[in-house]
């Protein structure tokens, strides 16, 4: 600014030292940073007030002066350093902007390590369980690291400060040694802090945490496939039972697992060599099998081969012991499925205990990289195993003294020893190979329902949605038990976890439910979908659609889990809140489906879907419900029950072909095309309605002449396809803005539509205001606005 005002000569002649001017400019920019953070805090409090929420939690807001402002204050030091390098103010501004942008967006240029990204840290996510818990310690160390570096560049900036005798960049560089000598202790302190904290971070990140950037991870995946793909055919045993002892050392950011597998050779040939594979997140492992010789561990890929002294014959069993150590502190990449915290731990443990054989989950599906590495096109679902492999599970978990543990199985006992709390769980019947756990300072809500012990473990103070979640549990168990078969366990547990893990995840007898969407959201507005109820109902439904019926690992499998859980969720919403409420639920899913469709990607039919979530979630739930409406709820549910009866363990697993075959046995001829289009084709609808005329008749009835326009958009067909389907036409005596969940149509009837444009005449005894085609929105339509029209009587 002094140069812009042409008073720099005056500034240069003052007896003020460069360090004072540097400090003044840093303080000025620092004040701007603090002002911006303060304004954001004010906006946050203002939003709370507008929404009638007055628990301001000022200490959490004040923490933003550290978590948000401190990195920006370090950027202030960097910007003043860069600005001072240039004789021209605007060149300095441009260079400053470029430098800051390069650091902020460096990951997009392949610079991923936070030690190379000035004042950048892993994403801080707040949770009521642990604050900024996962990365708070790492944040402190990274801030110390960049603070040390900022001291260094601060001293350099003062040494190179522009003055009457240091006008050129060369002059200023020549003056640096003199200033460093004067401020050698400060400069040395900065170097010690920077290098010392950097060494600690490097050790935790690269040595302990096995850091890999994107390029290294891709190379790792390719090299794993090249090294081990040729051995994929080796026969391996099946796990029959699991016993584990898990120690959650939350203060150390580490957990330990000791376990025993009972394994069985279910192949028709002897097994000479057992191939153990572990996830890359495992930092240390030790495997032992009686009567065997271990090969050297492949620590790059966490693999080990064990040569049996005597081959394991078909149907023969043996035991395997293992020990694991897994570090999950803030210096390793955050994994929502494997997060250890001082409060709010959540670990999907089945993914980190030993597996056998070639692991296709470790391969890359990057087509360009595979082609460059001369690897074949990666097949989907190469391991199509149609057999159930259920296990008996017994586990003992220790945690902090003030915490409780939730996991799969029935709690046998809990006790305290060595200032730690222990919990022992055991399954009462075989389960799929699925066992996650959570640990937190929980409060518990318990109820007994039809002989089943229901429990919700939650963070105290977050009771807002517990009543509706408990209702969702009861409604789902009752409906599924009545229609698809009895609930197999004596208990059901829902446990709250930090918000990092999506909405919720279901395990046998347990659902882990995220705090933000399910426990902290306000669903008191009657026009808003109560997602706490809906998500809970969906996850309870997975006790049937994933646990009892676990489909074969083939294309379309998600249709028999997620789509059927979405269907169950929709039916329960209808029964709990009514069809008008359900229509809003479907409208939301309709929007999500069309928003996620990619015109550059061929959409998969439901029966063949692999990785398009919007197909097996949003479209899947809507289409399942539409088919239920077409053939009747009783008939549709009878098919689903038969699907479970025929394909649950010990029978072979189901595929979508089995479902379609059973469905076709009950679908009337008139609905076969609609059902086939819903599941085997990629179809959506163009629907609209027009009122041609409307009048009051002499007998007091009302006559409305309509034109219903319906066409099918079928993938691969350019023109609209003629329909052959039943469609609901409804009349309401209120305009749409006045509808609520209690609103019911004064007229509702299904009409058979076989043409793109169909004239209809409707006569009703009550005065209509609005006419709607597909009023409950269970037909996929990109434009729902023209499905409704106002009725103006003449």
């Amino acid at each position: 600014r002094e140069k812009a005002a042409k008073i720099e000569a005056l500034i240069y002649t003052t007896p003020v030292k460069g360090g004072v001017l540097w400090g003044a400019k840093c303080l000025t920019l620092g004040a701007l940073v603090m002002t911006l953070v303060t304004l954001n805090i004010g906006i946050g409090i203002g939003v709370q007030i507008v929404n009638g929420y007055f628990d301001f939690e000022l200490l959490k807001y004040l923490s933003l002066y550290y978590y948000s402002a401190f990195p920006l204050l370090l950027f202030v030091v960097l910007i003043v350093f860069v600005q001072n390098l240039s004789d021209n103010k605007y060149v300095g501004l441009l260079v400053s902007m470029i430098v800051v942008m390069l650091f902020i967006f460096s990951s997009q240029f392949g610079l991923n390590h936070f030690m190379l990204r000035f004042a950048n840290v892993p994403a801080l996510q707040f949770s009521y369980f642990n604050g900024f818990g996962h990365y708070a310690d790492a944040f402190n160390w990274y801030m110390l690291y960049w603070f040390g570096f900022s001291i260094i560049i601060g001293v350099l900036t003062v040494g190179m400060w522009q003055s009457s005798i240091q006008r050129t960049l060369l002059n200023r560089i020549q003056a640096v040694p003199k200033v460093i000598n004067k401020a050698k202790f400060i400069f040395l302190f900065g170097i010690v802090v920077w290098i010392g904290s950097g060494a600690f971070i490097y050790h935790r990140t690269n040595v302990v945490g096995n850091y890999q950037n994107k390029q290294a991870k891709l190379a790792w995946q390719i090299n794993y496939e090249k090294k081990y793909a040729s051995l994929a055919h080796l026969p391996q045993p099946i796990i029959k039972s699991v016993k584990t002892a898990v120690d959650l050392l939350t203060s150390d950011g580490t957990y330990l697992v000791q376990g025993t597998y009972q394994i069985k050779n279910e192949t028709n040939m002897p097994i000479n060599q057992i191939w153990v594979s572990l996830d890359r997140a495992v930092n240390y492992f030790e495997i032992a099998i009686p009567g065997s010789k271990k090969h050297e561990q492949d620590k790059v890929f966490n693999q080990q081969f064990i040569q049996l002294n005597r081959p394991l014959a078909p149907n023969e069993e043996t035991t395997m012991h293992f020990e694991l150590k897994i570090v999950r502190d803030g210096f390793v990449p955050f994994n929502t499925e494997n997060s250890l915290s001082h409060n709010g731990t959540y670990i999907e443990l089945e993914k980190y205990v030993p597996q056998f054989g070639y692991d296709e989950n470790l391969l890359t599906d990057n087509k360009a990289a595979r082609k460059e590495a001369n690897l074949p096109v990666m097949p989907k679902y190469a391991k199509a195993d149609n057999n159930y492999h259920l296990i008996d599970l017994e586990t003992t978990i220790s945690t902090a003294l003030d915490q409780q543990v939730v996991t799969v199985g029935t709690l046998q006992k809990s006790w305290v020893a060595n200032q730690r709390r222990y919990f022992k769980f055991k399954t009462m019947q075989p389960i799929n190979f699925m066992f996650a756990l959570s640990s937190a300072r929980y409060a518990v809500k318990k109820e007994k329902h039809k002989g089943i012990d229901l429990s919700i473990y939650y963070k105290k103070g977050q009771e807002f949605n517990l009543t509706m979640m408990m209702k969702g549990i009861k409604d789902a168990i009752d409906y599924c038990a009545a229609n698809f078969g009895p609930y197999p366990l004596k208990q059901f547990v829902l446990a709250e976890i930090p918000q990092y893990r999506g909405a919720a995840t279901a395990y046998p007898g347990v659902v882990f439910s995220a705090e933000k969407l399910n426990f902290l959201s306000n669903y008191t507005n009657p026009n808003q979908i109560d997602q706490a109820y809906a998500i809970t109902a969906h996850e309870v439904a997975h006790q049937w659609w994933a646990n009892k019926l676990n489909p074969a690992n083939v294309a379309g499998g998600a249709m028999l889990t997620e789509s059927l859980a979405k269907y169950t969720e929709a039916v329960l919403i209808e029964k709990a809140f009514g069809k008008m409420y359900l229509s809003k639920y479907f409208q939301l899913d309709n929007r999500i489906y069309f928003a996620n469709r990619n015109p550059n990607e061929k959409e998969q039919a439901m029966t063949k879907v692999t990785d398009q979530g919007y197909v097996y979630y949003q479209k899947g739930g809507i289409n399942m419900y539409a088919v239920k409406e077409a053939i009747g709820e009783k008939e549709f549910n009878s098919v689903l029950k038969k699907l479970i009866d025929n394909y649950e363990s010990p029978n072979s697993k189901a595929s979508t072909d089995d479902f379609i075959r059973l469905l076709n046995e009950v679908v009337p001829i008139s609905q076969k095309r609609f059902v086939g289009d819903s599941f085997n084709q990629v179809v959506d609808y163009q629907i609209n309605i027009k009122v041609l005329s409307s009048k009051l008749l002499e007998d007091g009835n009302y006559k409305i002449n309509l034109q219903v326009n319906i066409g099918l958009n079928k993938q691969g067909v350019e023109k609209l396809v003629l329909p052959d389907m039943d469609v609901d036409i409804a009349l309401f005596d209120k305009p749409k803005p006045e509808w609520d969940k209690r609103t019911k149509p004064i007229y509702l009837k299904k009409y058979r539509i076989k043409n793109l444009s169909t004239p209809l005449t409707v006569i009703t005894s009550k005065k209509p205001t609005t006419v709607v085609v597909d009023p409950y929105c269970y037909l996929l339509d990109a434009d729902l606005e023209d499905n409704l029209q106002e009725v103006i009587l003449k």
Side-chain angles (χ1 to χ4, degrees), residues 1 22 28 202 265 269 309 396 520 566 617 646 679 760 777:
R1 290 184 63 189
W22 171 83
T28 302
Y202 181 85
N265 180 1
M269 61 184 70
N309 295 339
T396 301
L520 293 176
K566 283 287 285 183
Y617 275 105
N646 291 356
F679 295 133
L760 295 174
C777 304

Side-chain angles (χ1 to χ4, degrees), residues 38 60-61 64 268 274 365 376 408 459 475 480 534 601 661 709 754 786:
T38 302
K60 293 183 175 67
Y61 274 121
L64 297 179
N268 56 6
I274 294 178
D365 58 358
V408 175
K459 188 181 185 305
D475 289 353
C480 293
E601 178 184 51
R661 176 178 51 78
N709 302 313
K754 294 188 176 185
D786 58 2

Side-chain angles (χ1 to χ4, degrees), residues 50-336:
V50 168
N51 285 277
Y53 187 75
F54 301 102
D55 185 7
F56 298 126
E57 300 176 90
L58 292 178
L59 288 178
K60 293 183 175 67
Y61 274 121
L62 291 175
S63 72
L64 297 179
Y65 286 112
Y66 174 58
Y67 288 113
S68 185
F70 192 73
L72 296 176
L73 293 174
L74 297 181
F75 266 107
V76 164
V77 178
L78 176 66
I79 288 170
V80 174
F81 170 76
V82 174
Q83 186 78 28
N84 190 58
L85 295 177
S86 172
D87 292 327
N88 183 285
K89 168 184 177 179
Y90 297 103
V91 172
L93 287 172
L94 178 63
V95 174
S96 296
M97 183 179 71
I98 292 172
V99 169
V100 170
M101 290 298 181
L102 285 175
F103 278 124
I104 291 175
F105 299 105
S106 56
S107 61
Q108 299 181 18
F109 306 108
L111 201 66
N112 295 298
H113 205 300
F114 288 102
M115 291 184 70
L116 304 176
R117 300 168 63 185
F118 184 86
N120 274 260
V121 293
L124 287 165
Q125 298 186 66
F126 180 82
S127 163
Y128 275 95
F129 279 91
N130 51 44
F132 294 113
H134 287 291
Y135 283 126
D137 290 340
F139 181 91
N140 297 337
W141 278 99
Y142 278 113
M143 289 300 100
L144 184 63
Y145 172 74
W146 289 116
F147 175 67
F149 183 77
S150 297
I151 291 174
I152 296 170
I153 62 174
V155 172
L156 293 176
T157 307
V158 173
M160 299 169 65
W161 199 255
Q162 296 184 26
S163 68
S164 58
I165 60 174
Q166 292 180 195
R167 299 300 296 267
T168 67
L169 179 61
L170 181 60
N171 295 148
R172 299 199 296 278
I173 292 174
Q174 290 171 342
V176 167
K178 183 179 178 181
V179 173
I180 290 177
N181 187 54
K182 286 185 178 180
K184 56 186 175 185
F185 292 111
I186 298 175
F187 192 75
L188 183 62
F189 174 74
I191 290 177
V192 170
V193 170
W194 185 46
I195 294 178
S197 57
F200 176 82
I201 293 170
Y202 181 85
H203 178 262
R204 298 298 300 177
T205 305
N206 290 57
V207 179
V208 177
N210 299 320
Y211 172 80
Q212 287 182 321
N213 60 26
K214 291 181 180 178
Q215 293 79 12
K217 180 180 178 181
L218 183 61
W220 186 96
Q221 291 174 303
I222 288 170
N223 291 333
Y224 170 82
E225 185 169 355
K226 285 184 174 181
K227 185 172 183 178
Y228 290 111
S230 61
L231 304 176
H233 66 281
L234 287 180
Q236 292 298 301
I238 297 299
I239 301 169
K240 305 301 290 184
S241 70
V242 178
K243 289 185 179 181
T244 62
V246 183
D247 296 312
L248 304 175
L249 308 178
T250 55
S251 59
D252 298 334
T254 302
Y255 67 91
L256 309 175
V257 183
Q258 291 184 322
T260 301
Y261 284 166
Q262 187 71 19
I263 57 178
K264 182 179 180 181
N265 180 1
E266 293 189 353
T267 72
N268 56 6
M269 61 184 70
I271 294 176
N272 300 297
Q273 196 175 58
I274 294 178
W275 175 7
V276 179
S277 174
L278 290 113
D279 190 272
R280 285 176 295 169
V282 176
N283 299 85
Y284 164 86
F285 68 92
E286 198 65 47
I287 309 294
I289 297 177
S292 67
K293 178 183 178 182
K294 292 186 288 187
H295 294 207
E296 184 178 353
Q297 290 183 0
D298 182 346
K299 294 186 178 180
V300 173
F301 298 108
N302 270 4
Q303 310 286 305
Q304 184 164 41
F305 288 85
I306 300 173
Q307 193 73 37
L308 300 178
N309 295 339
R310 184 179 64 81
L312 192 66
N315 295 317
E316 188 179 359
E317 297 187 11
T318 189
T319 57
M320 185 184 92
H321 306 283
F322 58 89
E323 295 182 13
L324 312 177
K325 178 181 179 180
I326 302 174
V327 177
R328 301 308 303 164
D329 60 18
F331 297 99
V332 298
F334 182 58
N335 184 344
T336 60

Side-chain angles (χ1 to χ4, degrees), residues 667-708:
V667 173
I669 294 175
S670 61
Q671 300 293 349
K672 283 193 179 293
R673 180 186 157 189
F674 176 74
V675 172
D677 284 346
S678 298
F679 295 133
N680 300 317
Q681 303 292 328
V682 177
V683 169
D684 63 85
Y685 302 90
Q686 285 189 20
I687 305 173
N688 65 74
I689 193 167
K690 293 180 181 179
V691 178
L692 301 179
S693 65
S694 55
K695 65 179 181 179
L696 175 63
L697 300 177
E698 292 181 358
D699 60 3
N701 289 323
Y702 298 88
K703 180 180 179 181
I704 303 97
N705 292 315
L706 306 170
Q707 180 178 305
V708 179

Side-chain angles (χ1 to χ4, degrees), residues 239 242 244 246 255 257 261 277-279 282 322 324 326 337-338 346-356 359 361 391 393 407-408 431-437 501 505-508 512 547:
I239 301 169
V242 178
T244 62
V246 183
Y255 67 91
V257 183
Y261 284 166
S277 174
L278 290 113
D279 190 272
V282 176
F322 58 89
L324 312 177
I326 302 174
E337 300 172 349
N338 191 23
Y346 175 67
I347 301 168
E348 296 184 359
L349 191 59
E350 79 275 9
K351 298 175 181 176
Y352 305 100
V353 292
Q355 312 290 328
F356 293 124
D359 190 350
N361 295 318
I391 62 165
L393 174 68
T407 191
V408 175
I431 61 167
N432 293 305
F433 194 82
M434 300 173 65
F435 40 94
L437 64 90
R501 184 72 177 102
T505 306
Y507 280 79
F512 297 98
N547 290 336

